[in-house]
Structures are given as structure tokens and as C-alpha cells.
Amino acid sequence: MPSKLKLYNTYNAELEEFEPLQAPFVGMYLCGPTVYGDPHLGHSRGPILMDILYRYLMHLGYKVRYVRNITDVGHLQNDSDDGDDKIAKKARLDQVEPMEIVQKYTIAYHKAIDKLNVLPPSIEPRATAHIQEQINMVKGIIENGYAYEVNGSVYFDVLKYAEDEDYGKLSGRKIEDLIAGAGEERRALEGQDEKRNPNDFALWKKASEEHIMKWESPWGIGFPGWHIECSAMSSKYLGEYFDIHAGGMDLLFPHHESEIAQSTACFKHTPCKYWLHNNMITINGQKMAKSLNNGILLEEMFSGDHHLLDKAYSPLTMKFFLLMAHYRSTVDFSNEALSAAEKGLKRLSNAIEKLDELKSSDQSEVAVEAWKENLYEAMNNDLNTPKAIAFLFEAVKWINEISSSKLKINEDDLKLLSETFKTFFFDILGLKLEDEGSDKERIEGLVNLLMELRQDAKTEKNWAMADKIRDDLKNLGVDLMDGKEGSSFKLN
RNA sequence: GGUCGGAUGGCCGAGUGGCUAGGCAGAGGUCUGCAAAACCUUCUACACCGGUUCGAAUCCGGUUCCGACCUCCA
């Protein structure tokens, strides 16, 4: 292998060579979804990024433990809310148990994510199943003097922490700016009067009477602060210092910054070595927001049932589309861009299907070895999937030319080309050939029969009949193509 | 307002001091009864203004525009 994997570490704001703490083992953590609603586009990018990383690390021979949590302790509903637990609130509206909501949307999340051919994580812990771990961590932080209790709530003492540690390093913020930015409005917000400093954040919150999801703790009945769950679960399953922690850029501050502070306050060192952050998704150039009425659920994307979508886009089209952009760039969804991805993926898929039928020659006019190195080089350069895909398209051109005998390749090169192409397509990028349905064989037989009839018509120069067969089949979603060696067909 | 990131051809998107990114769309051609597919060829580019340099889309400064975060919550 010519180069080593390099990842952009947000923590140091630079590209760094990836060195596992304890090779060949790698531990990685992704902040998972809050399961109080149907999964939308924004829920897909993190898992897809991590899926690529997970697959690639395993491909490189690492033994990876991948932890992706389910946040099932919701808190506030949204910015206009009044302090109820997010999940509990919805539960009351729907007259069901909170865990029923959690169950429903966890399943919805899995269903949608599975369609993207994303591998399941090694461990998928739930926040509600780790309350004790969270309490223990809060205790540890209090013992170390970085948190204080007020009226049954526990807050992290940011100023105290900032005296000893570099608070704000991850998100590039200075504590002075944060203090200066604390305006009047903040004081009006719930719980602010209990804090010593507006920047302090809750580790444990006292639960009100109506609050449904609550637990006993040394500080009374309450529920954990948001940030602590990831710290508690990642340290439990990956250790107090692990390799990779990832999430969306929107989580950089305050969530990840707080995780670092909590872990450092509790364990005396940062939680992990590499921080990866994927950029956000926009739709027609605008961010996805309820107020803009442009939020798209994953199921809506797959069914096409949304006012901004011209048609349905398959899960793999969507995955491929996301992979055509680098994970640290924003990616803009539009019908035009999605259909471009759809056609591009088809081009790759067609090439894969041709791969096994290629004939080798004695000589080779293709630099397969260098091409393979380019592919790895692209992946090693901070998982540059768009570049890797560009190289796959280069190979598509070769495959097509070899197929039409315009280019020669010898047996060894063909084998290498085929193996490498398939490895990247299936194993590393996690793509699949789109399912053409279970009746495939029967359809093939039927279409072959019609093609024979059409061939007879053509022999008799009965063009009207030949065209009728072709056109009617096209209306049924079967495209006929006449080639030198007879006709072939493709299902749409 | 603060912090950070971005602005590439009709669309999407890599790249980076001198060498074709790639996909989609467009144009011409090969093939074909016609068409499609495939292949070949090809057009459109680096927001704006200065500067550094033999040379800048790439580095530096400024301008404009866009995005994320900057509160409780997730």
C-alpha cells in the first residue's frame, strides 16, 4: 500500500495519519438519532460516513468495534418549548407510553438506514439503559470539583474547567467570546438562574411532576443532561480513551465540546484521539427546516411522495449521491443532481454486470496496478469518495472498450481490475446492484420469447411489428437494444 | 454581532502554485431499417478587486454573497 489512511481531525483542525491506539483494534463512536420522529435526510449522512469508514477500516484489516447510540431520553420539544421531555411530550399527545414512541421510531430508523445498505453497528446502546453509568459519571465529575448541585439539578462548571483545561478547542471557541456572547435573553430561559455561569450546562436535571421519563439519583428524581449519555456509553464500550468519535458538524458545539469537557473532568483526559465531523445537507440551496417546509423524510425520498421531489429516488441512488460529495462539504439535494447520480450509478452497475463476460488477450493496454493505487490513495486521503468514484468511472470506460474489443487486457490485469472494482463498489462503498425483482427469470424468459418473435418480424422486414413489440415493451419498463450480436434488454 | 467553513463550467461536484478530475445535461460522429444502449470526439470554469510569483482557480490582503454554530433542548 503506497500511503496510509489520513483523516481530518477536527480536534487539531488538520489532516492526520490514522494510527490506532491499540492496533489492530479500532473503537469508533457515532452520535446516533433521537428517536422521536421519522428519520429524515439529515439522519443519513453520519451513518453513511461511518459506514464507509467502518467498511474501509475492516477492509484494511482492522478489528473494529463500532458503537452508535440511540438517544431515547428526549428533553425539550424545540426552542418554543416549555421544558418537558421531548419524548414524553409526544407520548402524552398520542396517549401512548414513551417507550412505545421510542420503539416505533427506532424501528423506522433501522428500516430506513438498512435500505441504504449501511452495516449495523457492533453495539447500539440506548441512553435509557445506561442511566446508572451516566449517574456514575456525574458523580465522578462532582468529585473532581467540576460540577455543582443546585435544587436537585447538577451543572457542569465551565469556568472552573476552563481554568485548568482548554475549553473550546474542538469548536475553535474562546471562553471569553462565549461569556461575552451571553446576552440578556439567556437569563429568561429556564434553569438559567440556577447556573453560576450561563455557559454551564446540565449534567442532571430535576424532573417536574408531569415529567414522564425520570429516574432516581443521588440528587433526587430527575433525568440526565443531553451530553452525558454519549460520554457514558462511549467510555463504557470503547474505554475512557478510544480512537474515533464522529457526528454532524452541528454537534460540534456545544455537544462534542461538552463531551470532551465531561470526559476530561471525569477521567482526566480527552475521550478520543480523532474527531470526525460530516457537513450538513441542504435542499435546493437551503437548509432543511420545518419553517421552510422543505424537510424530506427518507421514506419520502424512496417513494417520491414529497412536493419537492419529481420522482422517487432509490436508497442506493441517495447513498451514491452522498458519496459523490466529500463528507466535509455541504451537499445540496435537487432533482437534477439526484437523477445525475441515478444515471451515474446505473453506469457503474452496467459495467459490473459486464465485468464477468470480458475476454482477456495476451497483451494489456491498461495500467490497472496504478489505477488501483489511485483508488486507495483517494480513500486514504480523508475518505475522498468522490475521487474514488471518479476512478471507478475511468474503469467503466475501460470495461466498455474491452467489451467492444477496442481495448486489450491480459488475464492477470482483468482479474485485478474485476476484483478491485467489485471490492470498492460492494465492500468499501457499500453499494449494490439494484434489485430487479424476484420474477427476474420469468421476465427474462418472456422477454426473450418476444425478442425472438421480433427477430422473425425483422427478418420479414415487418418493421411495424418489430417496432410495436419494442415500443410496447418499453411502456412496460423493458428497454430493447439492438446490437451487433442480436438484441438485448434491460429492465427499468 | 462573534467563531468557523464555503463560493469551480447549464446542473452536481473533486482538485490545487505550471500537467484531462469525474458524473449528468448539450453538440458532432461510429453502430443501427429506425431507435436505444455503448463507444469516440467536443463546448461552457474556477465570486469580485488588489498583491506575491516567470506563472495563481490554487498563496496573501480586502470586498460581496451563502451556510453552520454561538441559549434551553436534541
Side-chain angles (χ1 to χ4, degrees):
Chain A
M1 200 128 317
S3 68
K4 296 191 89 173
L5 173 62
K6 291 187 286 297
L7 297 172
Y8 185 84
N9 188 355
T10 322
Y11 191 66
N12 295 318
E14 61 186 17
L15 208 57
E16 291 176 9
E17 207 164 84
F18 176 68
E19 283 289 351
L21 297 167
Q22 264 186 271
F25 302 100
V26 175
M28 54 187 226
Y29 188 92
L30 175 71
C31 293
T34 303
V35 282
Y36 71 96
D38 281 314
H40 55 73
L41 290 186
H43 287 120
S44 64
R45 208 171 182 194
I48 287 177
L49 162 67
M50 282 305 254
D51 189 49
I52 299 297
L53 181 59
Y54 185 36
R55 288 168 178 274
Y56 191 54
L57 288 172
M58 289 194 293
H59 172 75
L60 295 178
Y62 293 110
K63 306 260 178 278
V64 187
R65 181 179 295 162
Y66 170 25
V67 179
R68 185 183 71 198
N69 71 293
I70 294 281
T71 296
D72 56 357
V73 194
H75 297 278
L76 286 173
Q77 181 106 359
N78 56 39
D79 38 11
S80 66
D81 216 308
D82 53 7
D84 286 333
D85 187 297
K86 208 176 221 172
I87 286 167
K89 172 128 187 176
K90 191 117 190 338
R92 241 171 306 153
L93 291 173
D94 295 357
Q95 298 290 310
V96 290
E97 277 298 315
M99 287 314 277
E100 213 175 326
I101 298 281
V102 164
Q103 182 71 9
K104 178 180 170 189
Y105 292 117
T106 301
I107 290 170
Y109 176 75
H110 284 153
K111 220 175 126 194
I113 291 293
D114 282 351
K115 286 185 185 166
L116 294 168
N117 200 26
V118 160
L119 296 173
S122 329
I123 302 177
E124 190 167 49
R126 292 178 165 210
T128 51
H130 297 78
I131 300 296
Q132 192 55 53
E133 286 83 351
Q134 297 180 66
I135 289 172
N136 289 345
M137 215 173 149
V138 174
K139 276 195 212 161
I141 297 170
I142 294 175
E143 273 163 31
N144 288 340
Y146 292 106
Y148 54 90
E149 193 225 316
V150 184
N151 291 333
S153 291
V154 181
Y155 296 98
F156 190 90
D157 192 338
V158 171
L159 281 189
K160 171 75 166 40
Y161 176 80
E163 283 171 22
D164 306 328
E165 304 286 344
D166 192 355
Y167 183 77
K169 177 172 163 64
L170 178 74
S171 55
R173 272 155 226 269
K174 294 193 178 75
I175 188 80
E176 303 83 53
D177 294 339
L178 290 169
I179 293 166
E184 285 299 312
E185 311 142 39
R186 277 185 167 186
R187 303 223 159 68
L189 290 163
E190 187 261 337
Q192 288 298 311
D193 49 340
E194 293 179 348
K195 295 182 180 178
R196 290 181 190 168
N197 181 285
N199 296 307
D200 292 353
F201 54 88
L203 294 172
W204 186 265
K205 291 275 274 188
K206 181 181 184 173
S208 59
E209 282 294 314
E210 317 83 64
H211 209 93
I212 294 178
M213 288 182 125
K214 51 192 170 186
W215 294 266
E216 275 189 51
S217 81
W219 316 284
I221 307 284
F223 56 96
W226 166 39
H227 315 302
I228 198 72
E229 63 175 79
C230 288
S231 298
M233 291 187 281
S234 64
S235 60
K236 172 163 183 170
Y237 296 112
L238 298 172
E240 291 172 9
Y241 189 54
F242 57 96
D243 294 291
I244 301 167
H245 190 131
M249 267 181 190
D250 53 334
L251 297 180
L252 236 141
F253 189 91
H255 186 235
H256 291 334
E257 197 69 64
S258 302
E259 277 190 53
I260 291 175
Q262 288 165 348
S263 289
T264 309
C266 189
F267 306 127
K268 305 290 183 196
H269 52 72
T270 58
C272 67
K273 193 172 175 189
Y274 304 94
W275 285 89
L276 263 53
H277 289 95
N278 60 276
N279 215 319
M280 311 314 287
I281 282 169
T282 57
I283 296 177
N284 296 321
Q286 287 185 301
K287 70 167 174 175
M288 229 166 68
K290 275 194 188 126
S291 55
L292 295 169
N293 192 27
N294 66 350
I296 300 181
L297 301 177
L298 289 169
E299 281 307 327
E300 290 171 337
M301 176 65 71
F302 305 155
S303 68
D305 186 17
H306 190 278
H307 67 100
L308 289 174
L309 299 174
D310 293 345
K311 51 172 281 199
Y313 299 97
S314 76
L316 288 168
T317 294
M318 200 192 111
K319 182 177 194 178
F320 183 66
F321 170 66
L322 285 176
L323 295 178
M324 291 218 304
H326 185 83
Y327 77 88
R328 284 195 290 122
S329 307
T330 52
V331 68
D332 189 52
F333 274 74
S334 62
N335 284 292
E336 222 175 343
L338 281 162
S339 3
E342 186 175 53
K343 286 177 187 162
L345 179 59
K346 211 162 203 178
R347 195 162 137 83
L348 287 182
S349 306
N350 287 345
I352 291 228
E353 283 172 345
K354 274 187 198 170
L355 220 35
D356 292 331
E357 293 152 26
L358 294 184
K359 295 190 177 66
S360 57
S361 321
D362 327 333
Q363 17 168 344
S364 217
E365 299 166 334
V366 195
V368 180
E369 201 63 64
W371 167 80
K372 182 182 171 185
E373 268 190 32
N374 284 336
L375 276 168
Y376 281 99
E377 195 67 47
M379 288 305 289
N380 285 341
N381 188 11
D382 198 24
L383 306 175
N384 196 332
T385 50
K387 204 167 183 179
I389 288 168
F391 285 119
L392 289 184
F393 276 115
E394 193 179 316
V396 168
K397 205 166 183 175
W398 293 342
I399 292 167
N400 288 330
E401 289 182 22
I402 294 164
S403 169
S404 56
S405 308
K406 282 179 184 163
L407 190 71
K408 285 176 182 157
I409 189 165
N410 66 29
E411 207 181 324
D412 289 348
D413 280 349
L414 178 57
K415 196 171 166 232
L416 185 65
L417 174 71
S418 178
E419 280 175 3
T420 308
F421 197 100
K422 287 178 181 171
T423 298
F424 271 79
F425 186 88
F426 294 112
D427 302 343
I428 296 175
L429 297 177
L431 296 167
K432 289 194 292 197
L433 299 177
E434 303 266 37
D435 191 12
E436 284 172 357
S438 49
D439 286 328
K440 198 178 166 186
E441 277 182 32
R442 190 178 307 179
I443 289 171
E444 262 177 36
L446 290 170
V447 177
N448 281 332
L449 176 64
L450 286 165
M451 286 199 302
E452 276 174 37
L453 291 174
R454 181 162 167 271
Q455 190 50 52
D456 293 345
K458 282 171 73 176
T459 311
E460 291 163 16
K461 298 212 186 283
N462 185 351
W463 306 129
M465 178 59 74
D467 288 352
K468 180 183 163 51
I469 291 173
R470 187 178 63 202
D471 295 344
D472 288 359
L473 278 175
K474 190 178 177 68
N475 288 337
L476 292 168
V478 183
D479 289 351
L480 291 195
M481 290 155 297
D482 294 345
K484 252 180 184 164
E485 275 107 73
S487 304
S488 59
F489 73 94
K490 210 170 55 174
L491 300 180
N492 261 328

